[in-house]
């Protein structure tokens, strides 16, 4: 073993880390000038390996730290690395690293880079030969000089210390001291043995005396046991009798209590049924009053309609006679119009044919006259000219004038054609309008009848909607009563529930429900009591187990709970305990697996979302058939056990129990509140729906009334439009006649223009032919023959034209007579008859009013019969409900009398039980 390397930092003069190596495994010599750090180097080795630097104060520690320029050194360390190839250090490694670190407040050691205590380091050094009893493995400076100056005795002591004999001297001295102490202890032990021998002799004598006493005492105890055994048997027999009586009394009391509870339940059912019957009676009375009012109103309406119908019936005969005369006159006028129109339709084609034939003959006559006149003109004209040149000049001049005249006539013809087309179009439009107006006037009676039907249908629709609204009003009144009754029951149930808790909790729960609705908090679920369903058999056990936890509010997380609590605190609205599901971590419990122990949470029905909350409250409780079994399981499994009657044994051994009145059940109170709250909300929702339906029905009635007003307004407008329609028809007929006259004038003008064009064309042709012929003073032979033929033809055409003109004139005269008769007489009479028909229809005294009244009478009669039927049914239901209420009152009275008897029997049993329990207590004390 030898030192391989030394590392120094912050120690005395070594500020920076200084590594000194290598070292020889034999001898090493350090040489240096004064102040180079030789002494501090050896001081560093002693700092690690010796006890020279122990128990130092603050100043001494500060003195070991480097003090120089620059930043201050807060700690220093010295590390020595040993070669442990000979395994002198029992570490099992070839190298050992030992470091000591010092500061103003710390002094630490480490072995192989791991923290170690000073004792561990000293023990390791002791095992390697660095003994505290022989500290001369390091010889400091000046020690050799001291050795040379020592006395012989001091040298001997030093040699003993160096050789290690001083240890044996110390051990010898210690051994001699131990031997002396042992001798002293032996002397004391000898004295103690002598005392014990004396005491044993005394105890042998006392032992014999004790044996005699024990025999006598055994005999006495046998006699006492026999006596007490006889007394115990007698007391046990008496207790058995009392327990048997008590058990019989308990069973009898339980039977009585069960019958009493069943009676209370039946009474509650009867009261609930009685409340429904009373409510039904109120509904039926209200319906009866409304139906009676409706019957009276319908009776008044029917009487009024019957009077109106009688008046219409009386005037119906006269109206029928007047209508018959009117219809006969109308048929006569229509027949005359058809005859005239038929005759006119027959004359008009003949007139047109004659006129066309006359025009054709007139055209031929005009053409022949024109040719003849031209020939005469030519004959007389040739005598005026001296030569061909003069004649041609005159002809060219005439041709130019004829061309100008032709252009003018053509323009006139084109304008005339356009005027004719426009007139024909106007006439067609006017005829269509006249036809449309006449059709409207002809169908006016049917339209009036249809409008009267529309008015009647609109009135019936309005009355139907009004009847439906009356039904809705009746239903709304009934629902108002139901809602008010549900509100009263809810208030009663909430008061009952509030009596089972303190006022702050009651106010807090109401505030939480209100806050949930106002802020729409989906994470606020409800109280434990509201979130579970329990069999009636285990209701008492669940209530006793939960206690006030029944009203703890379950929420999804602590954030939601904080929000609600802030509002509660701000509004000062009571106190509530919240159960955030994200914070609840119920611990599993060891539940006994036996037939006489049931885990309570298995008997509770709840949503799986709330599992942590229910396990937190009910997870550590089991249900046992009796208190003895409950106590046994509570001690053996460390759970809380409870009986169905509510007697409880907790895991610490405490027993609680007593009578629990099921009529004051918290769960039942919560159930009633939930039931009536749901009923109230349902009825209020239905009432809101009925109100909405009433509003919708009112809007429908408004629309129906508006539609009725529109239909009546259209009828009134239609009735008032007949006079303007007649005036418009007259104006249209006058315009049509004028247009036809204009068309005839334009047609004649066109014919004249066409005849003039033909004459001009023929004249132009003749001029041009003459211009190309030779100049002669007289007519040619051919022209003279043509002139003779034309004279003969003109005579014949004039005679034919005269005959056609006479025939056409006769037809035209008859046609004009027919047209004037139709226009001025028959059509006006027809319009007057139609006007009278319209007045009869619009006056309301016709058949339509009579039929409308008949329909209204049938409708109101049916309504009266329906109301009468409903009224009879309501009276029958009312009588049946009153009879049922009387029966329920009688049954309730009988049950109350039976309940009083059962309560008296229970009270007697309880007094007997109290006496028996007092006697049993006295016997138990004696036992």
């Amino acid at each position: 073993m030898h030192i391989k390397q030394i590392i120094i930092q912050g120690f005395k003069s070594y500020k920076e880390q200084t590594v000194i190596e290598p070292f020889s495994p034999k001898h090493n010599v350090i040489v240096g000038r004064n102040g180079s750090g030789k002494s501090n180097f050896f001081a560093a080795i002693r700092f690690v390996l010796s006890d020279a630097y122990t128990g130092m104060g603050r100043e001494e520690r500060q003195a070991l730290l480097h003090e120089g320029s620059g930043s201050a050194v807060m700690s220093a360390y010295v590390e020595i690395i040993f070669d442990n190839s000979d395994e002198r250090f029992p570490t099992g490694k070839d190298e050992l690293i030992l470091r000591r670190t010092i500061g103003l407040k710390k002094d630490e050691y480490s072995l192989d880079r791991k923290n170690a205590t000073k004792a561990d380091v000293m023990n390791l050094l002791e095992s390697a030969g660095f003994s505290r009893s022989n500290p001369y493995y390091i010889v400091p400076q000046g020690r050799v000089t001291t050795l040379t100056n020592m006395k012989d005795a001091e040298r001997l002591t030093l040699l003993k210390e160096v050789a290690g004999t001083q240890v044996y001297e110390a051990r010898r001295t210690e051994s001699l001291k131990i031997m002396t102490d042992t001798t002293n202890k032996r002397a004391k032990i000898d004295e103690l043995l002598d005392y014990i021998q004396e005491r044993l002799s005394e105890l042998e004598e006392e032992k014999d005396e004790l044996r005699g006493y024990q025999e006598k005492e055994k005999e006495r105890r046998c006699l006492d046991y026999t006596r007490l055994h006889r007394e115990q048997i007698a007391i046990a027999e008496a207790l058995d009798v009392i327990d048997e009586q008590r058990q019989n009394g308990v069973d009898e009391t339980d039977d009585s209590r069960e019958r009493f509870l069943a009676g209370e339940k039946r009474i509650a059912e009867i009261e609930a049924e009685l409340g429904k019957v009373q409510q039904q009676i109120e509904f039926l009375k209200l319906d009866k009053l409304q139906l009676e009012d409706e019957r009276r109103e319908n009776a008044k309406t029917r009487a009024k309609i019957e009077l109106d119908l009688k008046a219409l019936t009386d005037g119906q005969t006269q109206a029928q006679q007047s209508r018959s005369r009117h219809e006969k006159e109308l048929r006569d006028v229509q027949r005359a119009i058809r005859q005239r129109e038929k005759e006119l339709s027959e004359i008009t084609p003949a007139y047109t044919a004659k006129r066309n034939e006359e025009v054709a003959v007139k055209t031929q006559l005009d053409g022949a006259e024109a040719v003849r006149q031209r020939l005469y003109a030519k004959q007389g004209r040739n005598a005026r000219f001296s030569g061909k040149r003069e004649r041609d000049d005159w002809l060219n001049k005439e041709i130019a004038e004829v061309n100008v005249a032709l252009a003018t006539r053509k323009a006139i013809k084109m304008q005339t054609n356009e005027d004719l087309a426009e007139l024909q179009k106007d006439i067609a439009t006017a005829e269509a309008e006249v036809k449309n107006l006449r059709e409207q006037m002809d169908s006016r009676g049917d339209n009036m009848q249809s409008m009267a039907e529309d008015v009647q249908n609109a009135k019936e629709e309005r009355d139907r909607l009004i009847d439906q609204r009356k039904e809705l009003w009746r239903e709304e009144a009934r629902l108002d009563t139901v809602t008010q009754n549900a509100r009263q029951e809810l208030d009663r149930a909430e008061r009952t529930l509030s009596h089972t808790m303190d006022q702050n909790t009651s106010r807090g729960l109401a505030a939480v429900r209100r806050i949930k609705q106002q802020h729409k908090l989906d994470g606020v679920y409800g109280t434990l009591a509201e979130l579970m369903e329990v069999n009636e058999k285990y209701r008492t056990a669940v209530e006793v187990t939960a206690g006030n936890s029944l009203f703890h509010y379950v929420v999804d997380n602590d954030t939601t709970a904080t929000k609600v609590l802030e509002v509660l605190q701000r509004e000062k609205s009571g106190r509530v305990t919240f159960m955030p599901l994200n914070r609840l971590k119920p611990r599993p419990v060891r539940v006994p697996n036996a037939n006489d122990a049931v885990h309570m949470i298995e008997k509770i029905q709840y949503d799986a979302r709330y599992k942590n909350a229910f396990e937190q409250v009910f997870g550590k409780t089991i249900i046992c058939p009796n208190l003895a079994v409950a106590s046994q399981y509570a001690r053996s499994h460390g759970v809380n056990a409870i009986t169905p009657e509510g007697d409880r044994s907790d895991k610490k051994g405490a027993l609680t129990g007593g009578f629990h009145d099921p009529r004051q059940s918290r769960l039942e109170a919560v159930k009633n509140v939930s039931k009536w709250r749901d009923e109230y909300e349902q009825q209020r929702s239905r009432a809101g729906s009925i109100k909405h339906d009433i509003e919708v029905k009112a809007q429908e009635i408004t629309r129906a009334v508006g539609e009725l007003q529109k239909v009546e307004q259209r009828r009134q407008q239609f009735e008032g439009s007949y006079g303007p329609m007649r005036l418009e028809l007259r104006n249209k007929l006058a315009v049509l006649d004028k247009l036809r006259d204009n068309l005839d004038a334009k047609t004649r003008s066109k014919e004249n223009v066409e005849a003039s064009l033909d004459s001009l064309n023929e004249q132009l042709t003749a001029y041009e032919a003459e211009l190309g012929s030779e100049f002669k003073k007289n007519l040619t032979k051919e022209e003279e023959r043509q002139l003779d033929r034309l004279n003969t033809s003109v005579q014949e055409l004039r005679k034919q034209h005269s005959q056609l003109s006479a025939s056409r004139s006769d037809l035209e005269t008859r046609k004009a007579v027919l047209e004037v008769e139709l226009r001025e007489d028959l059509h006006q009479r027809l319009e007057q008859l139609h006007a009278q028909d319209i007045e009869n229809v619009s006056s309301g005294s016709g058949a339509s009013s009579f039929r409308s009244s008949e329909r209204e009478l049938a409708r109101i009669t049916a309504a009266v019969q329906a109301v009468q039927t409903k009224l009879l049914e309501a009276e029958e239901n009312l009588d049946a409900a009153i009879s049922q209420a009387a029966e329920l009152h009688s049954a309730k009275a009988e049950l109350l009398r039976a309940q009083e008897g059962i309560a008296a029997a229970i009270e007697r049993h309880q007094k007997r039980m109290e006496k028996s329990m007092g006697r049993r207590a006295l016997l138990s004390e004696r036992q």
Side-chain angles (χ1 to χ4, degrees), residues 820-832:
V820 170
E821 186 177 1
L822 284 172
R823 183 175 59 251
E824 300 296 335
D825 183 19
L826 294 177
H827 281 304
Q828 291 185 1
R829 288 174 61 191
L830 181 62
E831 291 177 3
Q832 292 176 358

PDB file of all heavy atoms in Angstrom, residues 820-832:
ATOM      1  N   VAL A 820    -130.554  47.646 -84.951  1.00  0.00           N
ATOM      2  CA  VAL A 820    -131.111  48.681 -84.065  1.00  0.00           C
ATOM      3  C   VAL A 820    -132.027  48.054 -83.036  1.00  0.00           C
ATOM      4  O   VAL A 820    -132.004  48.394 -81.844  1.00  0.00           O
ATOM      5  CB  VAL A 820    -131.852  49.739 -84.895  1.00  0.00           C
ATOM      6  CG1 VAL A 820    -132.633  50.676 -83.990  1.00  0.00           C
ATOM      7  CG2 VAL A 820    -130.865  50.524 -85.750  1.00  0.00           C
ATOM      8  N   GLU A 821    -132.824  47.064 -83.447  1.00  0.00           N
ATOM      9  CA  GLU A 821    -133.730  46.414 -82.500  1.00  0.00           C
ATOM     10  C   GLU A 821    -132.950  45.681 -81.411  1.00  0.00           C
ATOM     11  O   GLU A 821    -133.323  45.749 -80.229  1.00  0.00           O
ATOM     12  CB  GLU A 821    -134.648  45.450 -83.254  1.00  0.00           C
ATOM     13  CG  GLU A 821    -135.736  44.832 -82.381  1.00  0.00           C
ATOM     14  CD  GLU A 821    -136.663  43.943 -83.169  1.00  0.00           C
ATOM     15  OE1 GLU A 821    -136.444  43.805 -84.394  1.00  0.00           O
ATOM     16  OE2 GLU A 821    -137.606  43.383 -82.575  1.00  0.00           O
ATOM     17  N   LEU A 822    -131.887  44.969 -81.839  1.00  0.00           N
ATOM     18  CA  LEU A 822    -131.069  44.272 -80.834  1.00  0.00           C
ATOM     19  C   LEU A 822    -130.386  45.260 -79.897  1.00  0.00           C
ATOM     20  O   LEU A 822    -130.378  45.087 -78.681  1.00  0.00           O
ATOM     21  CB  LEU A 822    -130.015  43.409 -81.540  1.00  0.00           C
ATOM     22  CG  LEU A 822    -130.518  42.107 -82.175  1.00  0.00           C
ATOM     23  CD1 LEU A 822    -129.420  41.457 -82.998  1.00  0.00           C
ATOM     24  CD2 LEU A 822    -131.004  41.136 -81.096  1.00  0.00           C
ATOM     25  N   ARG A 823    -129.796  46.300 -80.500  1.00  0.00           N
ATOM     26  CA  ARG A 823    -128.997  47.214 -79.688  1.00  0.00           C
ATOM     27  C   ARG A 823    -129.840  48.135 -78.836  1.00  0.00           C
ATOM     28  O   ARG A 823    -129.564  48.341 -77.664  1.00  0.00           O
ATOM     29  CB  ARG A 823    -128.084  48.026 -80.617  1.00  0.00           C
ATOM     30  CG  ARG A 823    -127.145  48.970 -79.869  1.00  0.00           C
ATOM     31  CD  ARG A 823    -126.173  49.662 -80.801  1.00  0.00           C
ATOM     32  NE  ARG A 823    -126.840  50.440 -81.807  1.00  0.00           N
ATOM     33  CZ  ARG A 823    -126.911  50.155 -83.087  1.00  0.00           C
ATOM     34  NH1 ARG A 823    -126.352  49.043 -83.551  1.00  0.00           N
ATOM     35  NH2 ARG A 823    -127.545  50.946 -83.963  1.00  0.00           N
ATOM     36  N   GLU A 824    -130.876  48.646 -79.369  1.00  0.00           N
ATOM     37  CA  GLU A 824    -131.631  49.673 -78.672  1.00  0.00           C
ATOM     38  C   GLU A 824    -132.762  49.110 -77.814  1.00  0.00           C
ATOM     39  O   GLU A 824    -133.211  49.779 -76.870  1.00  0.00           O
ATOM     40  CB  GLU A 824    -132.226  50.661 -79.685  1.00  0.00           C
ATOM     41  CG  GLU A 824    -131.196  51.378 -80.527  1.00  0.00           C
ATOM     42  CD  GLU A 824    -130.282  52.263 -79.705  1.00  0.00           C
ATOM     43  OE1 GLU A 824    -130.703  52.694 -78.606  1.00  0.00           O
ATOM     44  OE2 GLU A 824    -129.134  52.513 -80.131  1.00  0.00           O
ATOM     45  N   ASP A 825    -133.208  47.878 -78.083  1.00  0.00           N
ATOM     46  CA  ASP A 825    -134.374  47.357 -77.372  1.00  0.00           C
ATOM     47  C   ASP A 825    -134.046  46.094 -76.592  1.00  0.00           C
ATOM     48  O   ASP A 825    -134.057  46.068 -75.353  1.00  0.00           O
ATOM     49  CB  ASP A 825    -135.499  47.097 -78.372  1.00  0.00           C
ATOM     50  CG  ASP A 825    -136.782  46.629 -77.686  1.00  0.00           C
ATOM     51  OD1 ASP A 825    -136.900  46.867 -76.451  1.00  0.00           O
ATOM     52  OD2 ASP A 825    -137.635  46.016 -78.352  1.00  0.00           O
ATOM     53  N   LEU A 826    -133.746  45.013 -77.328  1.00  0.00           N
ATOM     54  CA  LEU A 826    -133.646  43.705 -76.674  1.00  0.00           C
ATOM     55  C   LEU A 826    -132.479  43.626 -75.695  1.00  0.00           C
ATOM     56  O   LEU A 826    -132.632  43.146 -74.554  1.00  0.00           O
ATOM     57  CB  LEU A 826    -133.530  42.611 -77.752  1.00  0.00           C
ATOM     58  CG  LEU A 826    -134.764  42.434 -78.647  1.00  0.00           C
ATOM     59  CD1 LEU A 826    -134.519  41.381 -79.710  1.00  0.00           C
ATOM     60  CD2 LEU A 826    -135.984  42.060 -77.803  1.00  0.00           C
ATOM     61  N   HIS A 827    -131.307  44.076 -76.104  1.00  0.00           N
ATOM     62  CA  HIS A 827    -130.139  44.002 -75.199  1.00  0.00           C
ATOM     63  C   HIS A 827    -130.328  44.881 -73.975  1.00  0.00           C
ATOM     64  O   HIS A 827    -129.920  44.506 -72.863  1.00  0.00           O
ATOM     65  CB  HIS A 827    -128.861  44.417 -75.951  1.00  0.00           C
ATOM     66  CG  HIS A 827    -128.316  43.320 -76.827  1.00  0.00           C
ATOM     67  ND1 HIS A 827    -127.990  42.075 -76.349  1.00  0.00           N
ATOM     68  CD2 HIS A 827    -128.034  43.294 -78.163  1.00  0.00           C
ATOM     69  CE1 HIS A 827    -127.530  41.310 -77.327  1.00  0.00           C
ATOM     70  NE2 HIS A 827    -127.553  42.031 -78.471  1.00  0.00           N
ATOM     71  N   GLN A 828    -130.928  46.019 -74.120  1.00  0.00           N
ATOM     72  CA  GLN A 828    -131.179  46.870 -72.959  1.00  0.00           C
ATOM     73  C   GLN A 828    -132.177  46.214 -72.008  1.00  0.00           C
ATOM     74  O   GLN A 828    -132.000  46.277 -70.780  1.00  0.00           O
ATOM     75  CB  GLN A 828    -131.693  48.235 -73.427  1.00  0.00           C
ATOM     76  CG  GLN A 828    -130.637  49.059 -74.133  1.00  0.00           C
ATOM     77  CD  GLN A 828    -131.138  50.456 -74.490  1.00  0.00           C
ATOM     78  OE1 GLN A 828    -132.287  50.817 -74.179  1.00  0.00           O
ATOM     79  NE2 GLN A 828    -130.285  51.245 -75.170  1.00  0.00           N
ATOM     80  N   ARG A 829    -133.249  45.596 -72.591  1.00  0.00           N
ATOM     81  CA  ARG A 829    -134.202  44.890 -71.728  1.00  0.00           C
ATOM     82  C   ARG A 829    -133.521  43.728 -70.996  1.00  0.00           C
ATOM     83  O   ARG A 829    -133.793  43.470 -69.810  1.00  0.00           O
ATOM     84  CB  ARG A 829    -135.365  44.382 -72.567  1.00  0.00           C
ATOM     85  CG  ARG A 829    -136.304  45.486 -73.049  1.00  0.00           C
ATOM     86  CD  ARG A 829    -137.353  44.938 -73.991  1.00  0.00           C
ATOM     87  NE  ARG A 829    -138.171  43.925 -73.312  1.00  0.00           N
ATOM     88  CZ  ARG A 829    -139.042  43.112 -73.926  1.00  0.00           C
ATOM     89  NH1 ARG A 829    -139.150  43.180 -75.249  1.00  0.00           N
ATOM     90  NH2 ARG A 829    -139.722  42.235 -73.247  1.00  0.00           N
ATOM     91  N   LEU A 830    -132.631  43.009 -71.724  1.00  0.00           N
ATOM     92  CA  LEU A 830    -131.900  41.894 -71.091  1.00  0.00           C
ATOM     93  C   LEU A 830    -131.022  42.399 -69.933  1.00  0.00           C
ATOM     94  O   LEU A 830    -130.955  41.780 -68.858  1.00  0.00           O
ATOM     95  CB  LEU A 830    -131.049  41.182 -72.136  1.00  0.00           C
ATOM     96  CG  LEU A 830    -130.240  39.969 -71.628  1.00  0.00           C
ATOM     97  CD1 LEU A 830    -131.181  38.878 -71.117  1.00  0.00           C
ATOM     98  CD2 LEU A 830    -129.334  39.420 -72.731  1.00  0.00           C
ATOM     99  N   GLU A 831    -130.359  43.545 -70.148  1.00  0.00           N
ATOM    100  CA  GLU A 831    -129.534  44.113 -69.076  1.00  0.00           C
ATOM    101  C   GLU A 831    -130.381  44.507 -67.879  1.00  0.00           C
ATOM    102  O   GLU A 831    -129.983  44.306 -66.723  1.00  0.00           O
ATOM    103  CB  GLU A 831    -128.780  45.322 -69.619  1.00  0.00           C
ATOM    104  CG  GLU A 831    -127.693  44.957 -70.629  1.00  0.00           C
ATOM    105  CD  GLU A 831    -127.017  46.180 -71.192  1.00  0.00           C
ATOM    106  OE1 GLU A 831    -127.358  47.288 -70.746  1.00  0.00           O
ATOM    107  OE2 GLU A 831    -126.174  46.037 -72.097  1.00  0.00           O
ATOM    108  N   GLN A 832    -131.551  45.073 -68.140  1.00  0.00           N
ATOM    109  CA  GLN A 832    -132.442  45.440 -67.035  1.00  0.00           C
ATOM    110  C   GLN A 832    -132.870  44.209 -66.245  1.00  0.00           C
ATOM    111  O   GLN A 832    -132.901  44.223 -65.001  1.00  0.00           O
ATOM    112  CB  GLN A 832    -133.662  46.182 -67.583  1.00  0.00           C
ATOM    113  CG  GLN A 832    -133.344  47.559 -68.147  1.00  0.00           C
ATOM    114  CD  GLN A 832    -134.565  48.216 -68.775  1.00  0.00           C
ATOM    115  OE1 GLN A 832    -135.661  47.619 -68.834  1.00  0.00           O
ATOM    116  NE2 GLN A 832    -134.399  49.458 -69.270  1.00  0.00           N
TER     117      GLN A 832
END
